[in-house]
Amino acid sequence: MTPFPSRIDLNADLGEGFGRWRLTDDEQLLSVVTSANVACGFHAGDAVTMRRVCALAAERGVRIGAQVSYRDLAGFGRRSMDVPPDELAAEVAYQIGALEVFARAAGSRVAYVKPHGALYNRVVHDEEQAAAVVEGVSLAAGALPVLGLPGSRLLERAAKAGLPVVTEAFADRAYTARATLVPRGQEGALITHPGAVVQRSVALARSGTVTAVTGESVEVRARSLCLHGDTPDAASLARLVRAELEGAGVRVEAFA
């Protein structure tokens, strides 16, 4: 198979704290990644955290993305929720707008949008919820790029609406034979061994493939690679992944 792509973006979920509680090592991760998915207050994050992460990202030339989610602080945005489409569209726009204030104050801007958790998984197959997210993006910011799973309803609806779409893969999540993510509640859903994460990262970047839980090679062609910021020692793992990618001849750069 022809190597794909020659370049890749590294993104991580950042700003996932609230008040005195912090989950992600934002400062260290921002020295490695090229795009930051910043929590906008609905699953994690608050005004002070968003301002701090935006300032750090702008200082280091890291692109700022709005990580929008269901309104679910208690469940960290990982619980499935049935939100009316008009309400979801408004809440997506609200989150993007809140982050944009702090991005602009830091001399940057919101460069893309990525759903989080249960919303991310829901819009892979749910046409109505995907349309609501796209409506919210358009309402808040016009033609911002949308980051999501290849083949998802979200990216289909975004493309139809004239929004740039960016495909994403996960080095630390297991895949099904249909190139969708194994639900977190199932055994083996998370890839925790650093060597395995690194190996999968290089394979995804060089050949656009990953080994599914059932053993077969699955095509997952992505422009951006996600490294979860809430995994143990995430910053060290991110540095290792970036070094191995660059050593394999892959140019690590932001897509936006």
Side-chain angles (χ1 to χ4, degrees):
M1 181 178 290
T2 302
F4 174 91
S6 60
R7 65 194 191 282
I8 200 161
D9 169 71
L10 286 181
N11 78 74
D13 303 342
L14 300 177
E16 290 185 327
F18 194 82
R20 296 178 62 185
W21 174 69
R22 291 190 185 182
L23 177 63
T24 49
D25 189 349
D26 300 325
E27 188 164 355
Q28 291 300 313
L29 282 165
L30 283 167
S31 68
V32 182
V33 301
T34 47
S35 296
N37 316 316
V38 184
C40 298
F42 272 38
H43 75 280
D46 54 30
V48 172
T49 302
M50 287 193 289
R51 183 179 185 183
R52 174 178 55 81
V53 175
C54 284
L56 287 169
E59 179 183 293
R60 298 177 187 193
V62 176
R63 301 298 186 269
I64 296 169
Q67 189 170 38
V68 298
S69 68
Y70 289 127
R71 187 189 293 270
D72 182 28
L73 276 175
F76 197 61
R78 287 180 175 161
R79 298 184 293 190
S80 182
M81 307 181 91
D82 291 319
V83 180
D86 58 341
E87 183 177 328
L88 180 58
E91 292 193 337
V92 166
Y94 179 93
Q95 292 174 79
I96 296 168
L99 188 64
E100 180 70 8
V101 169
F102 299 116
R104 287 190 176 275
S108 186
R109 62 185 177 86
V110 172
Y112 65 95
V113 177
K114 173 185 172 177
H116 163 81
L119 181 58
Y120 186 98
N121 291 319
R122 182 76 171 264
V123 296
V124 169
H125 58 81
D126 190 311
E127 188 81 28
E128 188 176 64
Q129 294 279 281
V133 171
V134 170
E135 181 185 348
V137 175
S138 299
L139 178 64
L144 273 183
V146 176
L147 183 61
L149 205 69
S152 64
R153 294 290 179 267
L154 174 66
L155 294 193
E156 289 177 5
R157 293 296 304 223
K160 287 179 181 177
L163 305 182
V165 298
V166 183
T167 53
E168 177 182 39
F170 294 81
D172 55 3
R173 291 292 307 276
Y175 278 82
T176 70
R178 299 179 63 185
T180 58
L181 300 178
V182 173
R184 279 181 173 268
Q186 292 186 18
E187 185 178 354
L190 301 178
I191 310 300
T192 57
H193 191 282
V197 174
V198 169
Q199 184 180 39
R200 290 162 70 88
S201 298
V202 174
L204 284 162
R206 294 281 293 170
S207 65
T209 61
V210 68
T211 302
V213 288
T214 43
E216 61 265 61
S217 180
V218 176
E219 185 174 272
V220 182
R221 298 208 160 201
R223 176 64 181 87
S224 186
L225 185 65
C226 180
L227 299 169
H228 282 97
D230 60 345
T231 57
D233 206 14
S236 295
L237 180 58
R239 281 191 288 269
L240 183 59
V241 166
R242 178 159 186 166
E244 290 294 325
L245 286 170
E246 292 175 336
V250 178
R251 189 165 69 250
V252 179
E253 63 179 25
F255 62 81

